[in-house]
């Protein structure tokens, strides 16, 4: 990568603020088309690995990012891990960049969802943006639990943790709902808060969960019934949870099954933080990692992916990020407190890549139009 | 490699002006009498600042004279250049998606939106077949004849102590259902929000401009504080205040009433109140500025000629305030028309607006639909702006001095304090306390409490992050420092930009109105679209011939983007005051040999200083509150501001973010007071 040091030098040449710039497009094309990365005889474990990830991995209260950086750098003394904050547009930022033939600086993307991959493939060439991973180079990849296979036909992504969407309810106000049909009962009239599937991850997960339960022909009807029973669809998880739910506007909300971890840390009464798994299910939202097609530090990137699946890293990611590990139980040791408050559903459901592909936008749009024009 | 910094650009323009000044030397002979007289005058007026004798440096004096003569034109040129690069190009490259399909012009997208009942409601039929006038008229008359007006009791207050229910009439219209569509609903809620904001903002302006009380100046400085609050903070603050277990219900509960489900009962009413929370202060601030520059000597004249107090107010003061009030209403309508996170956060998806759909389409990389919706939104906003500006520019003022009405003490003694007018003011004060102070205070309380009661852990988090944070994390102090620096720099750029546009357009007839309308584009463009335009245009780079690319990022780009968003507030605060001025004063000064710039500096600006100070405060506020252009243009990790830090601390626990938000409020409040005090020195 010749561009980065050049831009830095240019930036340093200007005084305090780099304002306007004319740069020349890179002319040397990276050969990003190869299918697998063969195991090198002499891997290059020296250099700076640039990893892009979302805010709470770096800036949250107990972020996993700093631990991962320190531990990775002490495992690979010649390597440096450089964090990059995911731009505001998320994956769309890199899709736009790639479709304009611009260069992409980071080597690894940490925090990729299945629907991100669908968006990539809907807008770029099939299987684009990230490398197809050679799993022989990632020894720990077979530790990943069944059901967290993210279903990418191009094998670009591996899960490193997962969350489950469930309902959180106030047991002093309502009984535990057991099925989706229960939510239509008069006992739950004006009781549920959900989030907008257009803008919010839990909101979209809950919508997909209802599609899994009622099929793409039945979910709109179910939602019409939910609307009749007074469901309120707010914007983001934060406002709906810390605004509406915590000020007791309503006794039930679509949220995460790790809710009690935070509630107990806040010193809240847990009676308002009960977890309900409808149909004994939770909707799994696995988070994955992938290596960019044009990565400079391919060898280090492979090492990082394997490192993130190690016993210690899995425990730290899970507890700091308050998500569940991606590896099977025998490969990770979690604190008892985490086990006590983080609840796993008896059955995890998720709609995989194949079904989302070409459908996701339409499903969400049909639902939102129905809802907004009521 | 060429790299053109903004600073260099400025350098070059001033260099060029020097060159032209030299080439203009021969022409200067003709004007020598003129320039000598203007030099004399400046000597008269500023004896203390008089430099070395003119004969010692004739060139620099000529340069100064030339600069003075062309200062307005130069500022206007710079303004135009900034607008082209930072506004028209980024907006344009997104907007073209509305009328292009694979590089070919098309109207299919616009036709698609205009004939979709989801977007435009019943008007879809009209757009689909505009010539079937008869059919449209028939359905219209059918609808009108079905209207019946009735007042319904939709909301009742149970008072448990005495066990009665007091019915309260609620504004519920009973007209036959009309499919409003997304645009229709967006316009309706914007209109209601505008009415509410004006109704709540005007009494505040009246009190602040006419009464003297302890802390009046500070209160005036703080009026626009709500303006800088990130949407998430307002949403959480409103729930914390008006929620079922919120502050208001706790207070009422202590008095034995309630609890009430304010938000659940009428989400629309709460959304409108939240819009008033943002915009009533805007109406108030713009109106106060106008009120303080009213020429009350005319009132005295009218009174001496026998007009009653009421009559003098109606005929003299109201016409001088009207442009400001209408400006406030116009801005409120445009803002609430493009409202985004707050409607969904408080009202839910049923109250979705056009902007929600633009955001959604952008997320899905469907630029054609997003651009089409945004273009329609902008056309509507600009149309309204043009209509208002036609009205504003058609006015001619007679004001010759800013002699604000004398203020009287608010509560001089008990007897006055119990008069109906004072009681009404006290009642309004209570309302303002609930609506404006309530949500903010509830936020602050929320930042120091958790399930176990009082806690300082959120502030401990900020301190720890400051002391031990990593370079790739957001730290509180750099966020505060960047916010203040960007804010001040924005103010320094936006005030001249805004003033120059005011001056050039206020009395320039129809063409002036047109320029002024186009200059209001930053307010009329969807924030989501502007952000994506900055990203695709300036961050990814604009392709130029020869494989070159123009990229504009970094702190200076952020400041200029903030200034572009902010200068319309300066213009809209200054223009209503400028039109009130008697144009004969400027003409006399020009006839006596003053350059246009000199007349502006010495005559007009001092008379509209209160508008400039208000505009400057708005410019600062816009910069502090701006989120999306800041994160998009920041290159690397160095340029984050306070609202960005709030967003970055927002994890599954909201405490740290709310503590940072409280810090944002405190810093901004202090800055406003300082700006108003410093600016106040220049007010008459």
């Amino acid at each position: 990568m010749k561009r980065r040091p050049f831009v830095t030098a240019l930036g340093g040449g200007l005084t305090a603020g780099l304002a306007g710039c004319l740069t020349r497009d890179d002319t040397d094309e990276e050969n990003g088309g190869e299918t697998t990365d063969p195991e090198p005889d002499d891997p290059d474990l020296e250099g700076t690995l640039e990893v892009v990830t979302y805010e709470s991995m770096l800036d949250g209260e107990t972020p996993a990012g700093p631990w991962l950086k320190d531990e990775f750098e002490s495992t690979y003394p010649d390597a440096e891990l450089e964090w990059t904050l995911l731009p505001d547009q998320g994956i769309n930022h890199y899709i736009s960049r790639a479709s304009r033939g611009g260069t992409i600086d980071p080597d690894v993307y940490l925090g990729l969802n299945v629907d991100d991959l669908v968006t990539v493939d809907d807008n770029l060439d099939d299987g684009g943006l990230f490398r197809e991973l050679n799993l022989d180079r990632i020894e720990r990849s077979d530790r990943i639990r069944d059901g967290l296979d993210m279903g990418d036909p191009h094998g670009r992504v591996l899960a490193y943790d997962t969350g489950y969407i469930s309902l959180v309810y106030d047991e002093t106000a309502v009984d535990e709902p057991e099925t989706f049909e229960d939510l239509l009962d008069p006992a739950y009239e004006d009781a549920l808060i959900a989030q907008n599937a257009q803008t919010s991850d839990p909101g979209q997960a809950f919508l997909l969960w209802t599609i899994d339960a009622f099929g793409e022909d039945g979910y709109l009807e179910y939602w019409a019934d939910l609307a009749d029973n007074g469901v309120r669809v707010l914007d983001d998880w934060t406002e709906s949870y810390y605004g509406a739910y915590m000020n007791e506007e309503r006794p039930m909300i679509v949220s995460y099954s790790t809710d009690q971890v935070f509630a107990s840390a806040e010193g809240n009464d847990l009676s308002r933080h009960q977890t309900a798994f409808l149909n004994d299910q939770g909707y799994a939202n696995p988070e994955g990692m992938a290596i960019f097609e044009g990565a400079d530090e391919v060898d280090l990137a492979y090492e990082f992916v394997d490192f993130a699946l190690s016993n210690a890293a899995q425990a730290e990611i899970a507890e700091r990020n308050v998500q569940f590990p991606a590896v099977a139980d025998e490969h990770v040791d979690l604190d008892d407190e985490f086990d006590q408050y983080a609840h796993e559903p008896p059955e995890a459901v998720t709609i995989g890549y194949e079904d989302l592909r070409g459908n996701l936008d339409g499903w969400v749009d049909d639902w939102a139009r129905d809802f907004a024009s009521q | 490699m060429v790299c053109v910094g903004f600073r260099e650009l400025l350098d070059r323009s001033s260099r060029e002006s020097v060159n032209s000044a030299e080439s203009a030397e021969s022409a200067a002979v003709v004007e020598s009498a003129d320039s000598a007289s203007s030099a004399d005058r400046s000597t008269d007026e500023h004896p203390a600042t008089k430099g070395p004798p003119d004969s010692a440096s004739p060139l620099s004096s000529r340069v100064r004279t030339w600069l003075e003569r062309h200062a307005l034109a130069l500022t206007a040129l710079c303004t135009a250049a900034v607008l082209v690069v930072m506004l028209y190009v980024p907006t344009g490259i997104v907007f073209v998606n509305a009328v292009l399909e694979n590089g070919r012009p098309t109207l299919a997208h616009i036709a698609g939106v205009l004939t979709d009942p989801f977007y435009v409601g019943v008007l879809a039929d009209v757009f689909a077949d505009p010539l079937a006038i008869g059919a449209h008229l028939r359905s219209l008359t059918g609808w009108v004849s079905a209207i019946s007006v009735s007042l319904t009791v939709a909301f009742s207050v149970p008072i448990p102590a005495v066990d009665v229910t007091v019915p309260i009439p609620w504004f519920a219209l009973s007209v036959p259902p009309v499919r409003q569509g997304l645009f229709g609903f967006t316009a309706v809620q914007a209109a209601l929000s505008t009415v509410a904001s004006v109704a709540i903002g005007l009494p505040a302006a009246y009190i602040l401009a006419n009464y003297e009380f302890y802390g009046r100046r500070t209160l005036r400085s703080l009026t626009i504080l709500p303006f800088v609050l990130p949407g998430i903070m307002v949403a959480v603050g409103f729930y914390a205040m008006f929620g079922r277990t919120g502050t208001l219900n706790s207070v009422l509960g202590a008095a034995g009433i309630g609890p009430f489900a304010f938000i659940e009962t009428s989400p629309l009413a709460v959304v409108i109140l939240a819009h008033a929370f943002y915009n009533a202060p805007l109406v108030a601030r713009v109106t106060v500025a106008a009120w303080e520059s009213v020429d009350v000597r005319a009132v005295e004249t009218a009174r001496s000629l026998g007009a009653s107090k009421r009559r003098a107010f109606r005929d003299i003061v109201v016409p001088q305030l009207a442009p400001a009030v209408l400006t406030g209403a116009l801005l409120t309508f445009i803002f609430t028309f493009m409202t985004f996170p707050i409607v969904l956060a408080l009202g839910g998806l049923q109250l979705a607006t056009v902007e929600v759909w633009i955001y959604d389409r952008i997320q899905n990389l469907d630029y054609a639909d997003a651009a089409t919706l945004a273009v329609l939104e902008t056309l509507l906003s600009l149309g309204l702006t043009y209509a208002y500006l036609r009205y504003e520019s058609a006015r001619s003022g007679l004001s010759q001095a800013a002699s604000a009405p004398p203020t009287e003490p608010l509560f001089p003694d008990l007897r006055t304090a119990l008069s109906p007018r004072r009681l009404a003011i006290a009642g309004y004060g209570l309302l303002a306390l609930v609506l404006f102070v309530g949500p903010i205070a509830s936020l602050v309380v929320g930042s120091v409490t958790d399930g176990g009661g009082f806690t300082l852990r959120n502030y401990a988090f900020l301190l720890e992050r400051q002391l031990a944070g990593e370079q790739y994390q957001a730290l509180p102090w750099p966020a505060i420092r960047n916010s203040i620096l960007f804010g001040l720099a924005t103010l320094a750029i936006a005030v001249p930009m805004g003033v120059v546009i005011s001056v050039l357009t206020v009395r320039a007839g129809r063409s002036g109105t047109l320029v002024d309308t186009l200059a209001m584009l930053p307010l009329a463009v969807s924030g989501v679209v502007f952000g994506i335009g900055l990203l695709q245009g300036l961050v990814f780079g604009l392709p130029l011939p020869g494989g070159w690319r123009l990229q504009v990022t970094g702190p200076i780009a952020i400041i200029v983007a903030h200034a572009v968003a902010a200068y319309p507030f300066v213009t809209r605060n200054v223009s209503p005051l400028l039109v009130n001025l008697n144009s004969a004063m400027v003409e006399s000064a020009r006839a006596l040999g003053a350059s246009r710039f000199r007349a502006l500096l010495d005559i007009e600006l001092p008379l509209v200083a209160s508008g400039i100070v208000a505009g400057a405060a708005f410019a600062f506020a816009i910069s502090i509150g701006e989120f999306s252009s800041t994160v998009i243009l920041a290159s690397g990790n160095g340029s984050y501001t306070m609202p960005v830090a709030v967003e970055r601390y927002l994890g599954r626990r909201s405490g740290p973010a709310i503590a940072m938000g409280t810090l944002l409020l405190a810093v901004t409040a202090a800055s406003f007071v300082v700006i108003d005090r410093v600016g106040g020195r220049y007010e008459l």
Side-chain angles (χ1 to χ4, degrees), chain B residues 444-511:
Chain B
V444 175
V445 170
S447 73
V448 291
T449 43
D450 67 1
F454 179 79
T455 177
L456 282 177
R457 64 184 281 203
N458 296 324
Y459 291 92
F461 164 83
L462 293 184
L463 191 65
E464 185 237 283
R465 187 52 54 88
Q466 175 60 40
L467 296 176
E470 302 286 344
Q471 160 269 329
Y472 50 82
Q473 294 179 318
L475 314 185
W477 167 244
I480 296 172
R481 185 198 58 209
N482 288 341
S483 276
I484 293 178
L485 286 179
F486 292 172
L488 290 176
T490 298
L491 193 156
I493 299 176
V495 170
M497 279 173 80
V499 169
V500 90
I501 288 177
S502 278
V503 171
L504 293 181
T505 57
V506 139
R507 281 185 230 282
R510 205 174 279 264
S511 62

Side-chain angles (χ1 to χ4, degrees), chain B residues 185-351:
Chain B
F185 171 74
T186 307
V188 166
Q189 63 81 27
L192 291 174
S193 301
T194 306
V195 170
S197 301
V198 172
I200 296 173
L202 281 187
Y206 165 74
I207 297 168
L208 285 170
N210 289 285
Y211 292 96
E212 190 54 60
F213 51 92
Y214 181 75
R216 183 185 75 89
R217 292 285 310 265
T218 311
L219 198 59
R220 193 190 71 169
S221 319
L222 295 182
T223 34
I224 51 172
L225 196 55
F227 227 64
V228 302
L229 269 181
I232 164 96
M233 304 275 295
V234 175
V236 173
F238 258 66
Y239 279 112
M241 179 65 191
F242 300 107
R244 214 183 281 260
T245 55
T247 314
L248 187 57
N249 271 320
S250 309
V251 173
L252 292 176
I257 340 173
F260 304 108
F262 296 108
I263 299 176
E264 283 285 314
T265 306
S266 177
L268 179 61
V270 171
V271 165
I272 289 169
L273 275 188
H275 285 158
F277 174 84
Y278 271 117
N279 294 300
L282 182 147
V283 175
R285 193 69 187 85
V286 177
T287 310
V288 169
W291 216 316
E292 287 176 345
S293 61
V294 158
D295 189 355
V296 284
R297 292 177 313 173
V299 177
E300 285 151 19
T301 313
R303 294 278 286 149
S304 73
L305 290 173
S308 70
K309 211 171 174 183
R310 193 177 295 254
R311 176 81 195 262
F313 180 80
R314 199 183 66 207
D315 289 355
I316 312 284
V317 178
V318 170
Q320 294 192 57
L321 295 184
V325 177
L326 284 172
T327 296
L330 173 78
L331 294 180
T332 303
F333 185 87
I334 291 176
F335 284 144
T336 51
F337 192 82
M338 298 198 292
T339 180
F340 170 39
I342 205 79
V343 258
L344 246 56
L346 287 170
L349 190 55
Q350 276 102 336
L351 303 187

Side-chain angles (χ1 to χ4, degrees), chain B residues 15 37 88 121 128 174 189 262 264 330 335 346 377 405 450 455 505-506 515 574 579 602 635 639:
Chain B
R15 248 197 329 274
S37 78
Y88 294 124
S174 67
Q189 63 81 27
F262 296 108
E264 283 285 314
L330 173 78
F335 284 144
L346 287 170
E377 215 182 50
D450 67 1
T455 177
T505 57
V506 139
V515 171
V574 170
V579 298
D602 288 351
S635 54
S639 309

